[in-house]
Amino acid sequence: MKPTVTIEYCPKCGWLMRAAWMAQELLTTFADDLRSVTLQQSETGGSYIIYVDGEILFNRKDAGHFPEIKELKQLVRDKVNPEKSLGHSDRK
């Protein structure tokens, strides 16, 4: 079964649009590799955590910043399809 990505975001912080945009980017880039990308409202203020099948992939509080989309795509790719080329997103 293909993996599911969950983006948990703080609705009180106004991060829904960021989460929705990142979900769209992941669904476009990984159309053949992901089952779904879900958005989940957090009950914890300031939370922005990205999971793959329940395992934390990126936590804004731990990293001290939001992921850049290039970074997020690389992290997801490394987890769900390490052989996949990301084209220009693979360049440093």
Side-chain angles (χ1 to χ4, degrees), residues 34-82:
L34 295 177
R35 178 171 177 245
S36 64
V37 176
T38 61
L39 302 180
Q40 177 178 311
Q41 295 184 58
S42 177
E43 294 181 11
T44 305
S47 181
Y48 198 88
I49 305 171
I50 299 167
Y51 302 87
V52 174
D53 287 340
E55 182 181 327
I56 293 176
L57 187 69
F58 187 93
N59 185 331
R60 184 194 69 83
K61 285 186 178 179
D62 292 344
H65 62 87
F66 285 98
E68 294 293 327
I69 197 63
K70 175 181 171 178
E71 174 187 16
L72 180 57
K73 286 180 180 182
Q74 289 172 345
L75 289 170
V76 170
R77 183 269 316 272
D78 293 348
K79 188 75 173 171
V80 305
N81 186 353

Side-chain angles (χ1 to χ4, degrees), residues 9-20 41 45-48 66:
Y9 66 94
C10 175
K12 294 177 184 174
C13 298
W15 294 339
L16 171 60
M17 293 301 289
R18 179 189 304 264
Q41 295 184 58
S47 181
Y48 198 88
F66 285 98

